[in-house]
Amino acid sequence: MPQEQRLILKHADQPGYTPDIECYMRHGGYEALRKALATPGRDLPDGKKQTPREVIRDEVLKSGLRGRGGAGFSAGLKWSFVDRRSGKPIYLICNADESEPGTFKDRQILHKDPHQLVEGMIISCWANDVKLAYIYIRGEMPHAARLLNKALDEARAKGFLGKDILGSGTELEIHVHRGAGAYICGEETGLIESLEGKRPYPRIKPPYFPAVLGLYMCPTIVNNVETLCHVRHIVNMGGAEYAKLGTPNNTGTRIISLSGDVKNPGYFEVEVGKVTLGEVIYHENFGGGLKPGRTLKAIIPGGSSSKVLKAGEKFKLRKKGPDGQMVAVETDLLDLPYDFDSLQQAGTMSGSGAVIVMDDTREIVDVLANVSEFYAHESCGQCTPCREGALWMSKALHRMTTGGGRSQDADYLLHIAQNIQGRTICAFGEAAAWPVLSFVKKFKDDFVARGKADEEARAKGIVPASHH
Amino acid sequence: MSFTVPAKLEAQLDELTTHYPQKRSASLMFLHALQEHFGYVSPEAVDWTARKLGLQPINVQELVTFYPMFRQQPLGKTQVKVCRTLSCSLAGSDSIRKHFVEKLGLDAHKHGPQTTADGKFTVEFVECLASCGTAPVVMVNDDLVEKCTAADCDRILSKGR
């Protein structure tokens, strides 16, 4: 039976569990940090030696942990790209700017178990020779910012932060930095600019890869809240043991945020790939199905930037056959394992783990208009195709939802979206274009029909609301 | 009216500046603190921040105009932010905003924040507040109201009056 497997949220919702350090330590908190600091170096079979810090980094790599913020990139590889020979300080930033529509997982950690993040950060900083780190938290979470500051004070008082962490001779300071309502600050180079006190205009890569030229042009690691929490568990369990959770190449657990037209919206921590998209929506342990009498229309599987999936879609998934050969298996949308690779093979992504469900009562044109308005509002304005295109698509869709539609609007929207993707400095261009491309392509009849209906109404002399 | 930052707040901000290797980094945190104290970020607050951090006023002003949370004029005592984005929209955030706007005699068709003449309320649509599982959500000053109903709206209104 598909069920939750809570690692990160193990204690978060237990009665009497509080966000203070005493409670955290009663539940084994900061033991992983002690273990990490006491890690011995080791000799490798090829005669090379690993320092204790390299051992921890190696365990994270072996764990197969993939970033939980959206891109799903290997955390261990990301750490391995850090320029350790520049002589400059190395910084670590926790990306707590949770803003991808549909996502509310980091909110749970930050409010209910902030010390888990702090411990994960201290270990990650130690392993990467970081002496100064920041938590960039979105401005709309003022209570969480206060909880984090309190948690950091408590950790400082216990000697987990400061000039000489637990007598190890290593120093580390972590500070909380608040954003101020801009989605683009979740993009790591935009976040870095924002942390430098500027407008969060993303930087062009190359050359500004954060691992080499990040905060103050120094090597910088940017990791999501959930990702950093996993580091604590990797140290506790060992990388190889952690990798047994989940499925190959999709290891560990992750928190799914489920919202929209389901009976029981909420967050669910599962082993990656052990639960299907259909189970997330329909199983009684998760979403509990649709409201009575409704049928499924569409699913946004990984935050609003991910490409939409249409009810009834089938995909060819590459799977290992009985003889070990890779074979293509036809898989229904609802049978897709909810993991990084399966969703990618289905032409979309699991992104931030945010599933938004729409039933048959929803007008697809209205849904896309809502999504596009978000991207029009949040484009930072640096690149012309995105600044103009996102607004242009949003205006066209607004016109379509207020009686001003045209039968050619579907193609018109596709044309604009195609001219945004791949033509911008950061991935926001794709984030704005993908919903339009996928919604319009998969539900083209809906868009054409809406346009035609509006044209006919206007021919009869009905003035569209958009002209009032 | 002269612009004076209380000594205690200034000391807090001076301490905050030490969190960063480069002073400029503190500018967002300065603006948050000044807005919290004065209710909005005035041109004097921009100049003061620039002087404190060794910047040109434009370096600070461009932040105030970019980041949606910063305000250039005083807002209502109770600030109501209704989430507009998809999951909240599916759960009826449009009627939540309408409820506030109509009860307060504001213009339902106007975009952006609107403040009542008596200065008691500001109502606006904002983008995703990251609580989609308990949609529709509303932020009232620093507090999140989850699964917001018409009754919740009326409670917020009567409390703020």
Side-chain angles (χ1 to χ4, degrees), chain A residues 13 33 73 94 121 131 197-198 202 278 291 344 349 357 367 412 461:
Chain A
D13 293 313
L33 173 62
F73 191 76
C94 168
M121 280 185 78
K131 295 183 174 57
K198 303 170 191 161
K291 288 161 193 159
Q344 199 178 356
M349 61 178 180
V357 179
V367 170
Y412 177 68

Side-chain angles (χ1 to χ4, degrees), chain A residues 362-441:
Chain A
R362 303 302 177 182
E363 288 288 342
I364 280 300
V365 179
D366 298 347
V367 170
L368 183 61
N370 181 287
V371 172
S372 285
E373 190 173 334
F374 175 83
Y375 293 100
H377 183 264
E378 298 297 341
S379 172
C380 80
Q382 188 177 206
C383 310
T384 310
C386 171
R387 181 186 64 237
E388 301 300 321
L391 189 63
W392 198 354
M393 295 190 297
S394 178
K395 280 181 173 171
L397 282 156
H398 178 74
R399 175 169 53 69
M400 290 188 81
T401 58
T402 47
R406 305 172 306 173
S407 51
Q408 71 267 36
D409 279 336
D411 290 326
Y412 177 68
L413 285 165
L414 290 176
H415 173 75
I416 302 168
Q418 276 154 358
N419 281 298
I420 301 173
Q421 63 168 354
R423 291 179 163 87
T424 55
I425 286 174
C426 81
F428 186 99
E430 280 72 32
W434 284 350
V436 172
L437 288 172
S438 58
F439 271 89
V440 177
K441 276 182 189 160

Side-chain angles (χ1 to χ4, degrees), chain B residues 13-155:
Chain B
L13 291 172
D14 286 339
E15 193 277 330
L16 207 93
T17 312
T18 66
H19 295 183
Y20 306 95
Q22 296 183 10
K23 284 200 288 187
R24 184 176 185 172
S25 280
S27 47
L28 280 190
M29 297 295 273
F30 266 59
L31 293 174
H32 274 304
L34 294 174
Q35 176 160 291
E36 209 163 285
H37 182 78
F38 293 102
Y40 71 112
V41 182
S42 62
E44 292 79 12
V46 169
D47 287 345
W48 188 85
T49 301
R51 266 202 314 281
K52 288 289 287 185
L53 299 178
L55 301 168
Q56 294 299 319
I58 185 63
N59 300 140
V60 180
Q61 180 64 15
E62 68 172 2
L63 305 179
V64 179
T65 54
F66 186 94
Y67 292 90
M69 281 179 75
F70 297 131
R71 316 297 193 180
Q72 297 181 75
Q73 57 283 314
L75 295 192
K77 232 177 131 206
T78 302
Q79 293 176 30
V80 179
K81 295 176 177 175
V82 182
C83 177
R84 186 208 66 84
T85 320
L86 187 57
S87 300
C88 282
S89 164
L90 295 174
S93 60
D94 211 42
S95 61
I96 296 291
R97 175 179 174 268
K98 214 169 146 196
H99 192 101
F100 280 116
V101 166
E102 283 177 355
K103 291 250 165 135
L104 291 170
L106 301 168
D107 182 355
H109 297 289
K110 216 172 143 187
H111 285 276
Q114 294 184 65
T115 303
T116 52
D118 61 8
K120 283 189 175 159
F121 288 94
T122 296
V123 180
E124 66 179 315
F125 250 159
V126 295
E127 297 300 342
C128 190
L129 289 172
S131 190
C132 321
T134 53
V137 295
V138 173
M139 264 188 97
V140 181
N141 295 334
D142 277 359
D143 299 323
L144 190 71
V145 180
E146 299 172 277
K147 296 183 181 174
C148 187
T149 62
D152 291 325
C153 298
D154 289 335
R155 189 176 48 75

Side-chain angles (χ1 to χ4, degrees), chain A residues 2 33 56 63 87 114 138 140 159 166 194 229 231 235 245 266 268 298 301 308 364 373 382 384 389 463:
Chain A
L33 173 62
I56 299 293
S63 75
R138 66 176 296 187
E140 296 91 334
L166 294 175
S194 180
C229 289
V231 172
V235 169
L245 288 170
F268 309 99
V308 71
I364 280 300
E373 190 173 334
Q382 188 177 206
T384 310
V463 182

